């Protein structure tokens, strides 16, 4: 899991994916024909042992949620907006890091000074600011500019089979595809490492360029299997394997492909589960509508506290996602699964 | 400032919650380089002998806010706060649980599909996810202490952020003062008290002050630092120097002496005026035995009681300098 740790620790909010892009290109440049499209997506043609019957594209997004500076106050405080969906509750009193290494904290009025009304309500995001310790606009501007992005600053922790980190969404997906590329795949396929998923613009151009017959979106998705949540609201469970989606807020998935993917997991003895709540969305939304339409399946790592500094996932689940993705590539490329 | 920064980093990245954690050991490692130290319960006491029986007590609390486990169920814990905690910030927050061994956990964050956007849960209605499942019960018991898990980071200039700067910043000031005074010919005895249980009402300071029986006392704590969403009259400016406390409860003579040494030695300072209680250990110290004339020095701090408290290290140095000069200029009759 050293490589997953390394990937999670890279800072790459949407539109500023350079650190992850550079790392991935470094890792695959000898094993694939790599190009970067106009938006910054990596499109890699991976040579397998055999030529495929169908053209397969496998996508994971490189970007993570973050913060972008919109204004610097005369007192040297940074006003910001979020890049991607972040709940105010998981950003209050959190440490952030800019891409140039400058650290800051998201403000939080001391509990001693809150009115009883304030204690019961989340503050407006507009009321928050990032404090980098600067005492004036001039001092702040020497460190950070309007338009600069920050991400959560928290370490990667590993305890037994569980990992806690920022950016598991979707470095886990990036890891799975990298691992497949590194393990001498059976068939040629296209790998897409995409930008801007968290702002709803991921992988559309890649699908257009690659023009695949099938797409596999390798993702991370909300798991709500926590104390106090009823079974029908849990969405999916950490430790129960790769998550297959029949529907989310962006896509009503190809039912036949969904069914066959589930059957394939069973056949190959790969732990898998169904996403049992319609929520969230991912690059499948853009990919499945590309050109004349692309048959698309989403395979996800179940992840608690997604889009926070402390997402929790299981190493076994990440491996199940990798293995199911690998099996899907083989089955779809060979034309056995139509 | 690097010396103080190093002390503060090592003091703030360890915990001391209800007597649990290693902050006292780390502090003793520093303080014992400069004076004779001893423990009494969860309090650390360092003494420098002077040329008279007159004793100055300098206090800073070393405990910090935290939580206590109230139930363990299939790897999920419920806790209650020990000290004032803002439950709005807890979702997704990492913590350390001091069970049979220390383990890490994350406060459960309710996903958007299950929560109203601006609703706030009370801390006793939240869960901590340990990921341990049923094994949690072998390691964690009710009553175990829980602390925030954030690390020290450098911000602009001499500003830093960490958990527990309330009141490791004060502890660092005492250690720096001990360093300044060590080996000097002192007009009086100085007792440094790193006291327990301030966040629970100043119990350590109250009982230790009784035993030490000082002639005069100065408490060192943190106070609210300037921030855009707080009225300036309620705060001190970060980097603006030691906040000299002024309150009817505090001795006018001691307060005037603190002001005088700050002015005379051109040590950066500002004032914090309170109408009565100071909500620090000094409230308990002044009423010990027949009463102890006392003063208060505070270090301005932002985001109090969060894992990302912010201070300016220069203010710790200002406090240490004022304390040093205050001791050296004691006129003992």
């Amino acid at each position: 899991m050293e490589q997953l740790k390394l990937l999670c620790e890279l800072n790459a909010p949407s539109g500023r994916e350079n650190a992850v892009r550079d790392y991935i290109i470094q890792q695959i440049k000898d094993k694939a024909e790599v190009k970067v499209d106009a938006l910054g997506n990596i499109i890699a043609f991976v040579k397998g042992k055999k030529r495929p019957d169908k053209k397969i594209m496998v996508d994971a997004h490189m970007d993570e949620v973050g913060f972008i500076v919109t204004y610097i106050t005369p007192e040297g405080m940074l006003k910001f907006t979020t890049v991607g969906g972040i709940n105010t509750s998981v950003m209050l009193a959190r440490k952030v890091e800019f891409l140039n290494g400058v650290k800051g904290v998201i403000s939080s009025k001391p509990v001693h000074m809150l009115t009883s009304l304030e204690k019961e309500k989340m503050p407006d995001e507009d009321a928050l600011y990032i404090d980098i310790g600067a005492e004036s606009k001039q001092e702040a501007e020497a460190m950070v500019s309007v338009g600069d992005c920050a991400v959560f600053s928290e370490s990667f922790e590993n305890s037994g089979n569980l990992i806690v980190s920022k950016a598991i969404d979707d470095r886990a997906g990036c890891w799975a595809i990298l691992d497949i590329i590194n393990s001498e795949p059976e068939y040629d396929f296209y790998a897409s490492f995409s930008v801007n998923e968290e702002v709803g613009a991921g992988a559309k151009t890649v699908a257009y360029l690659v023009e695949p017959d099938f797409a596999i979106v390798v993702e991370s998705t909300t798991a709500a299997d926590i104390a106090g949540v009823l079974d029908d609201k849990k969405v999916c469970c950490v430790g129960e394997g790769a998550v297959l989606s029949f529907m989310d807020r962006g896509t009503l998935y190809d039912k036949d492909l969904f069914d066959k993917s589930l059957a394939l997991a069973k056949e190959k003895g790969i732990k898998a589960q169904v996403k049992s709540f319609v929520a969230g969305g991912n690059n499948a939304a853009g990919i499945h509508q590309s050109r004349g339409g692309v048959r698309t399946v989403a395979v996800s790592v179940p992840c608690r506290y997604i889009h926070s500094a402390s997402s929790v996932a299981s190493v076994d689940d990440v491996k199940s996602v990798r293995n199911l993705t690998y099996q899907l590539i083989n089955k779809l490329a060979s034309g056995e699964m139509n | 400032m690097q010396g103080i920064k190093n002390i503060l980093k090592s003091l703030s990245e360890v915990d001391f919650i209800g007597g649990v954690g290693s902050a006292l050991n780390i502090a003793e490692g520093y303080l014992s380089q400069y004076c004779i130290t001893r423990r009494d319960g969860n309090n650390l006491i360092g003494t420098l002998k002077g040329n008279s029986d007159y004793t100055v007590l300098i206090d800073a609390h070393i405990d910090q806010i935290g939580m206590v486990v109230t139930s363990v169920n299939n790897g999920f814990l419920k806790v209650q706060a020990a000290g004032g905690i803002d439950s709005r910030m807890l979702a997704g927050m990492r913590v350390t649980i001091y069970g049979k061994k220390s383990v890490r956990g994350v406060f459960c964050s309710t996903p958007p599909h299950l929560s109203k956007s601006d609703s706030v849960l009370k801390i006793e209605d939240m869960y901590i996810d340990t990921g341990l499942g049923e094994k949690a019960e072998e390691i964690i018991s009710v009553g175990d202490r829980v602390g925030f898990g954030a690390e020290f980071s450098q911000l602009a200039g001499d500003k830093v952020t960490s958990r527990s700067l309330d009141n490791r910043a004060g502890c660092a000031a005492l250690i720096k003062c001990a360093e300044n005074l060590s080996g000097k010919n002192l007009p009086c005895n100085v007792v440094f008290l790193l006291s327990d249980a301030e966040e629970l009402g100043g119990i350590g300071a109250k009982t230790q002050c009784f035993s030490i029986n000082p002639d005069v006392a100065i408490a060192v704590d943190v106070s609210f630092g300037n921030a855009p969403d707080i009225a300036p009259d309620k705060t001190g400016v970060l980097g603006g120097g030691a906040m000299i406390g002024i309150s009817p409860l505090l001795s006018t003579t001691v307060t005037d002496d603190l002001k005088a040494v700050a002015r005379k030695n051109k040590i950066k300072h500002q004032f914090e005026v309170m109408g009565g209680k100071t909500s620090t250990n000094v409230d308990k110290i002044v009423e010990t035995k027949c009463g102890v004339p006392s003063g208060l020095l505070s270090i301005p701090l932002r985001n109090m009681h969060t894992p990302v408290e912010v201070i300016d290290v220069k203010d710790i140095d200002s406090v240490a300098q004022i304390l040093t000069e205050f001791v050296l200029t004691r006129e003992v009759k």
Side-chain angles (χ1 to χ4, degrees):
Chain A
M1 282 295 107
E2 265 313 297
Q3 191 174 41
L4 178 58
K5 175 177 190 286
L6 202 153
L7 280 163
C8 287
E9 285 176 344
L10 293 173
N11 293 338
S14 306
R16 313 280 193 278
E17 294 89 351
N18 308 50
V20 174
R21 184 165 44 236
D22 293 349
Y23 174 78
I24 289 175
I25 291 174
Q26 187 62 35
Q27 294 298 305
I28 65 175
K29 65 177 195 297
D30 299 331
K31 298 179 175 106
E33 287 170 30
V34 179
K35 60 181 175 185
V36 176
D37 78 3
L39 300 186
N41 299 295
I42 299 175
I43 302 169
F45 176 66
V46 183
K47 203 86 181 132
K49 292 174 202 145
K50 289 180 259 183
R51 307 292 77 76
D53 189 44
K54 301 284 180 189
K55 196 195 274 184
I56 311 300
M57 172 177 133
V58 188
D59 170 76
H61 66 89
M62 298 186 283
D63 60 320
E64 68 190 282
V65 294
F67 310 90
I68 187 165
V69 177
T70 55
Y71 180 80
I72 301 176
T73 74
E75 300 84 19
M77 296 296 182
L78 317 180
K79 302 294 290 184
F80 65 92
T81 189
T82 55
V83 175
I86 308 177
N87 268 2
T88 310
S89 59
V90 301
M91 63 170 112
L92 269 186
R94 241 32 77 93
K95 205 188 301 183
V96 300
E97 184 173 347
F98 286 88
L99 301 187
N100 63 2
V102 167
K103 297 213 173 173
V105 303
I106 298 180
S107 63
S108 183
K109 200 171 168 181
V111 63
H112 320 65
M113 292 190 158
L114 297 176
T115 63
S116 53
L117 210 66
E118 283 175 318
K119 280 183 189 167
E120 285 163 15
K121 199 174 164 295
M122 290 311 299
D124 285 339
E125 192 191 302
D126 285 354
L128 304 179
Y129 51 87
I130 297 170
D131 178 3
I132 55 171
E135 289 174 15
S136 64
K137 185 172 182 172
Q138 196 185 7
E139 190 183 1
E141 280 176 340
M143 301 166 76
V144 170
S145 304
V146 167
D148 282 0
C149 285
V151 294
F152 286 120
S153 171
E154 281 265 22
S155 55
F156 180 101
E157 295 184 65
N158 190 353
S159 161
N161 187 39
L162 291 182
I163 54 173
V164 186
S165 179
K166 73 171 181 74
I168 292 175
D169 172 15
D170 186 28
R171 305 295 154 70
C174 294
W175 176 85
I177 301 178
L178 278 179
D179 197 63
I180 292 170
I181 295 174
N182 281 321
S183 57
E184 297 179 0
E186 288 296 310
Y187 289 95
D188 300 347
F189 71 95
Y190 286 86
S192 152
F193 297 95
S194 49
V195 300
N196 284 341
E197 190 273 345
E198 298 298 356
V199 292
K204 280 179 195 164
T205 53
V206 185
Y208 183 89
L209 280 165
V210 172
E211 217 181 335
D213 297 306
F214 290 95
I216 305 165
V217 173
V218 190
E219 257 286 11
S220 307
T221 195
T222 301
D225 57 330
I226 53 180
V229 175
L230 297 171
D231 282 350
D232 65 326
K233 297 277 167 54
K234 284 182 175 168
V235 189
C236 57
C237 299
V238 171
E240 293 303 313
V243 183
L244 289 162
S245 307
F246 55 80
M247 183 180 174
D248 57 36
R249 291 278 169 224
T251 311
L252 180 55
Y253 289 86
D254 185 308
K255 180 69 163 69
D256 184 51
L257 196 50
F258 165 79
D259 288 341
K260 284 174 175 160
S261 302
L262 210 52
L264 180 67
K266 203 168 175 189
E267 179 199 325
K268 299 289 178 188
I270 300 165
K271 220 169 179 184
Q273 58 184 323
V274 172
K275 181 171 175 174
S276 64
F277 196 93
V278 177
N282 57 43
N283 278 343
I287 294 169
H288 86 288
Q289 299 180 50
S290 181
R291 294 195 185 236
V294 179
R295 297 186 67 188
T296 303
V297 58
V299 183
S300 304
V301 174
C303 186
R304 292 179 190 152
Y305 327 124
I306 204 164
H307 291 196
S308 82
S310 308
S311 309
V312 171
S314 136
V315 173
D316 284 347
D317 290 341
V318 177
K319 288 179 182 161
S320 295
V321 164
R322 181 255 176 236
N323 292 340
L324 183 55
T325 304
Y326 178 73
Q327 295 297 341
L328 275 167
I329 295 171
N330 292 347
K331 267 284 199 259
L332 292 167
S334 69
E336 287 170 52
M337 196 161 143
N338 271 318
Chain B
M1 290 308 133
Q2 198 52 48
I4 299 178
K5 232 173 255 178
N6 293 344
I7 295 170
L8 192 60
K9 177 170 162 38
S10 48
L11 280 177
S12 68
E13 287 185 342
V14 290
D15 290 319
F16 202 59
I17 306 161
V20 175
S22 57
L24 219 53
N25 297 340
I26 303 290
E28 188 162 20
Y30 284 111
L31 203 56
S32 61
Q33 295 172 30
Y34 311 116
C35 50
I36 308 291
T37 56
R38 64 184 173 89
R39 304 273 187 105
D40 188 357
N42 292 324
N43 305 284
L44 174 65
I45 299 122
T47 306
L48 284 173
K49 282 277 176 214
N51 299 324
S52 68
D53 292 335
Y54 187 92
T55 296
V56 178
L57 170 66
I58 304 178
D59 164 85
H61 75 85
I62 191 165
D63 66 315
Q64 75 204 65
I65 51 144
M67 292 148 280
V68 176
V69 176
T70 56
S71 75
V72 186
N73 191 354
N74 199 23
F76 291 95
L77 316 178
K78 280 207 171 195
V79 295
Q80 286 201 2
I85 290 178
D86 180 1
S87 69
R88 300 177 311 162
M89 67 175 181
L90 294 177
M93 186 86 84
R94 289 192 211 181
V95 295
T96 303
I97 302 128
Y98 289 94
K100 290 198 180 73
K101 57 178 184 176
S102 76
V103 294
R104 296 282 274 164
V106 178
F107 262 101
C108 289
S109 161
T110 317
H113 72 277
L114 296 174
S115 64
K116 284 188 225 115
S117 61
D118 62 353
S119 61
V120 176
L121 289 174
K122 291 199 174 74
I123 187 166
E124 53 266 33
D125 295 326
M126 301 182 80
Y127 291 94
I128 293 174
D129 180 0
T130 64
L132 293 169
E134 284 163 5
K135 258 190 287 174
E137 267 137 289
E138 296 165 19
I139 303 167
I140 304 163
S141 314
V142 293
D144 286 349
R145 272 56 164 171
V146 179
F148 294 134
E151 288 159 7
F152 185 94
S153 291
Q154 174 75 48
L155 302 177
D158 287 314
K159 295 194 185 64
V160 297
T161 178
S162 187
R163 68 183 195 258
S164 308
L165 293 180
D166 173 6
N167 182 33
R168 301 296 148 67
C171 297
L174 264 60
I175 290 166
K176 181 66 185 163
C177 173
E179 184 191 340
N180 294 346
L181 292 175
S182 107
K184 287 218 164 70
N185 190 12
L186 303 179
C188 56
N189 303 318
V190 184
V191 179
F192 296 99
L193 169 62
L194 300 188
S195 54
D196 186 33
E198 187 272 345
E199 301 293 357
L200 303 173
I203 302 161
K206 180 184 164 136
T207 53
Q208 290 306 311
C209 186
F210 184 94
S211 306
I212 294 162
N213 197 21
D215 295 286
V216 65
I218 311 286
V220 179
D221 207 329
V222 296
S223 187
F224 302 110
N226 61 319
D229 47 3
I230 308 174
D233 58 306
K234 293 196 167 64
T235 62
V237 176
L238 267 71
M243 297 167 79
I244 299 176
I246 301 173
S247 158
L249 203 78
L250 300 169
S251 156
T252 314
T253 318
V254 174
T255 305
D256 285 348
D257 287 351
L258 291 171
K259 286 184 201 169
V261 294
R263 271 198 209 107
K264 181 163 178 258
N265 298 285
K266 298 193 168 59
I267 305 164
K268 228 173 174 184
H269 64 285
Q270 50 195 326
F271 300 113
E272 178 184 24
V273 183
M274 293 150 285
K277 295 272 185 201
T278 66
S279 303
T280 70
N281 275 342
V282 86
D283 295 349
K284 291 289 189 287
I285 291 171
V286 290
E287 57 187 29
T288 303
K289 293 192 176 175
C290 309
V292 180
S294 303
L296 174 64
L297 293 176
S298 297
I299 298 155
L301 171 143
R302 288 186 190 132
N303 312 324
M304 196 181 288
H305 287 193
T306 75
V308 292
E309 296 178 330
V310 175
I311 60 149
D312 191 313
V313 176
K314 290 197 292 292
D315 296 329
I316 297 179
D317 196 41
S318 300
V319 167
Q321 284 183 51
I322 293 176
L323 290 171
T324 305
E325 295 303 327
F326 178 84
V327 169
L328 291 175
T329 55
R330 284 293 83 193
E331 283 175 22
V332 181
K333 282 157 202 147

